[in-house]
Amino acid sequence: MNTAFALLLQAAPNLDDRLKKLESAASSAQSAGDNAWMLVCAALVLMMTGPGLALFYGGLVRKKNVLGTMMHSFIMMAVVTVIWAVVGYSLVFGDGTPFIGGLKYLFLNGVGTAPNADYAGTIPQGTFMVYQLMFAIITPALISGAFAERMKFSAMLLFMTLWVFVVYFPMAHMVWGKGGLLNAYLGGSIPTFDFAGGTVVHITSGVSALVCALYLGKRLGYPTEIMRPHSLVLSAVGACLLWVGWFGFNAGSALAASGLATSAFVATHFAAAAATLGWLVAEWVHMGKPSMLGGISGCVAGLVAITPASGFVKPMPALLIGLAAGVFCFLMVTAVKSKFGYDDTLDAFGVHGAGGTLGAILTGVFATKEINDAQINGKVLPLGLVDGNGGQVLNQLIGVAIAWGLAIVGTLIILKIVDATVGLRVSTDDEREGLDVSQHGEEGYFLES
Amino acid sequence: MKKLEAIIQPFKLDEVKEALKQIGIDGMTITEVRGHGRQKGHKEVYRGQEYNVDLLPKVKFELVVPDARLEEVIEAVMNAARTGKIGDGKIFVYDVAEAIRIRNNDRGEAAI
């Protein structure tokens, strides 16, 4: 016995060391796994803008505007990236007020390989930063659907630059930034659930899109001239890239290769499927035929609506949310748009504004701690109506109202400024000729050369 | 010499070409065109926006034949292009003043 005890004593310091080594190996393995997943997700979200949205929108316009329209999405990959590096990331995630972040991370000062425990404790902050950047890129690009085929390129650049400062950075900080007004987990006074950007991305862009459509007015010849999509083939490819990229958007918002990422992945996919069917059936009943354009519009509507809910809801509610979004957005872009007569050219409001609002509210209904057991003030609390917390629906409504209000007021002010300085619309002649030639001096198709 | 201008359904192009080959007609010029006669087109709906698309894709063929062969060629085109449904197209016949082969300056029927 004595001998054995002596041996154990001798081994103890050694055991302690080995335990420490094991812990550190486990944590670096988790970090490697999470980081690998999050870098892939960042790339997936960028894929939503570059080929995804650019093709989806590009196919929906007339062929004389295909490059101009793709450029609206593509150029955001450059413009927003530079702004984000200099000051954007800091204004969203640097400590600040409840409404906007501070300048702590100006020029990405201190943003490197060490994790930021407030947001994602297992991945380098640089990964978190670049992942969040991809959201800031696609959000303004979504708006461009509303003013397609008639806005000056210079005006678009100025508008988008101002818009990320006035609308996106404050809203993203309020919902996701530490101490933001609506942040559910990091000390917000009105806890709102928005897993991947129902309010931050889709309501802000969709509602701003409506304001743009109303302010700029209709395209020449709308709605009497034929303005068919010039290539639904491009649009279908784009929409399917969006569907795939959206796994990075929603499942990646778990910020780790975790079980939560899996449930967000499943919810996302289920909602897209149900919404595709919802839109198609509604179209079949109302219009007599189910169309490819209807199918791809439906899947995007479902992906939009599930975005805020994806990390909070079970698979069956995800199907329900998708189905509701498919039918609701179909009615928005057909009945409601034609009743009011605005030219939201590519239905950025009808899909993103309407679908985002529906999704944000339904998140308050279906969010459950069975899916998301992240602690709020050190405890796992009931989340939505299905958990018995009916008050959450009200919080969601407040979040929705703030996003709508900020988008309307911010966008109106920016439009006034841009209109007064560089002017918003191209000339009548330029609009007839098309944006490709008039704004960029090139054409999309030379099938004979 | 006569010039035949036939506007036909695009999917009938190969059959008409084959029928002309059978009777020994070698030269022709084809253009993809759009148009409509009594066939009034169709309705297309994009996100609830309805468009009446009445200019439909057609193929226009032009060929010049000796006067003596005109009826034979018309018959071949008619038989090959006809479905019996509205939208089958039309044939127009014109007089041709002269034909010239650019390579060697052949004139008249020798040039076609």
Side-chain angles (χ1 to χ4, degrees), chain A residues 86 216 357:
Chain A
V86 173
L216 262 83
T357 302

Side-chain angles (χ1 to χ4, degrees), chain B residues 7-105:
Chain B
I7 294 162
I8 62 163
Q9 298 276 31
F11 62 87
K12 282 290 189 183
L13 174 61
D14 282 337
E15 281 176 60
V16 173
K17 259 165 58 186
E18 191 54 38
L20 289 169
K21 206 165 132 192
Q22 293 291 326
I23 60 167
I25 299 289
D26 298 319
M28 65 186 74
T29 306
I30 283 165
T31 335
E32 289 177 35
V33 294
R34 292 192 297 160
H36 72 85
R38 263 182 248 165
Q39 181 192 24
K40 279 295 180 278
H42 58 249
K43 190 179 79 173
E44 292 181 10
V45 187
Y46 297 91
R47 286 184 177 161
Q49 183 84 45
E50 282 187 24
Y51 296 118
N52 223 343
V53 179
D54 50 8
L55 292 173
L56 301 172
K58 301 281 171 192
V59 164
K60 184 170 86 172
F61 249 76
E62 290 162 88
L63 56 161
V64 176
V65 297
D67 290 341
R69 300 203 63 183
L70 181 64
E71 283 309 318
E72 180 194 0
V73 172
I74 290 175
E75 201 185 313
V77 173
M78 295 259 295
N79 287 338
R82 188 189 297 124
T83 67
K85 290 188 194 134
I86 201 161
D88 273 354
K90 292 207 169 54
I91 300 173
F92 302 102
V93 181
Y94 307 85
D95 285 324
V96 175
E98 181 62 294
I100 303 155
R101 191 186 304 280
I102 292 173
R103 175 165 54 86
N104 58 11
N105 202 23

Side-chain angles (χ1 to χ4, degrees), chain A residues 267-284:
Chain A
T268 300
H269 188 60
F270 282 19
T276 301
L277 294 176
W279 186 305
L280 274 183
V281 169
E283 189 180 41
W284 208 336

Side-chain angles (χ1 to χ4, degrees), chain A residues 54 65 85 121 124 134 157 230 276 289 305 310 315 339 440 448:
Chain A
N65 295 317
M134 304 316 179
L157 285 177
H230 91 279
T276 301
K289 284 177 185 165
S310 53
K339 185 170 158 56
H440 306 290
E448 282 152 17

Side-chain angles (χ1 to χ4, degrees), chain A residues 10-185:
Chain A
Q10 270 178 358
N14 206 355
L15 203 68
D16 200 37
D17 274 0
R18 286 170 63 188
L19 208 63
K20 267 187 192 147
K21 269 190 196 152
L22 196 67
E23 272 170 359
S24 128
S27 111
S28 83
Q30 189 194 353
S31 181
D34 286 346
N35 198 31
W37 160 242
M38 290 311 299
L39 288 171
V40 170
C41 282
L44 280 171
V45 179
L46 186 67
M47 187 187 79
M48 292 171 70
T49 305
L53 194 65
L55 286 171
F56 183 55
Y57 278 177
L60 291 177
V61 297
R62 290 165 290 175
K63 68 170 180 272
K64 63 184 178 182
N65 295 317
V66 60
L67 296 179
T69 303
M70 293 180 87
M71 191 72 156
H72 287 168
S73 296
F74 175 74
I75 200 65
M76 288 302 119
M77 292 165 56
V79 171
V80 177
T81 298
V82 173
I83 298 172
W84 190 255
V86 173
V87 65
Y89 177 70
S90 192
L91 288 177
V92 177
F93 294 104
D95 298 338
T97 70
F99 302 99
I100 187 83
L103 297 176
K104 182 177 171 188
Y105 300 125
L106 191 66
F107 301 113
L108 298 181
N109 181 36
V111 180
T113 51
N116 180 333
D118 287 335
Y119 297 114
T122 62
I123 56 173
Q125 187 173 193
T127 303
F128 177 74
M129 180 279 294
V130 85
Y131 177 68
Q132 292 294 340
L133 160 61
M134 304 316 179
F135 286 63
I137 288 172
I138 196 168
T139 307
L142 292 169
I143 306 173
S144 67
F147 54 66
E149 305 196 292
R150 58 197 185 283
M151 195 170 187
K152 272 191 206 172
F153 186 67
S154 55
M156 193 276 307
L157 285 177
L158 181 58
F159 174 86
M160 292 304 194
T161 303
L162 294 172
W163 191 85
V164 290
F165 280 97
V166 175
V167 181
Y168 187 79
F169 296 159
M171 195 66 209
H173 176 76
M174 278 189 258
V175 176
W176 294 330
K178 188 182 178 187
L181 181 71
L182 303 168
N183 195 310
Y185 298 98

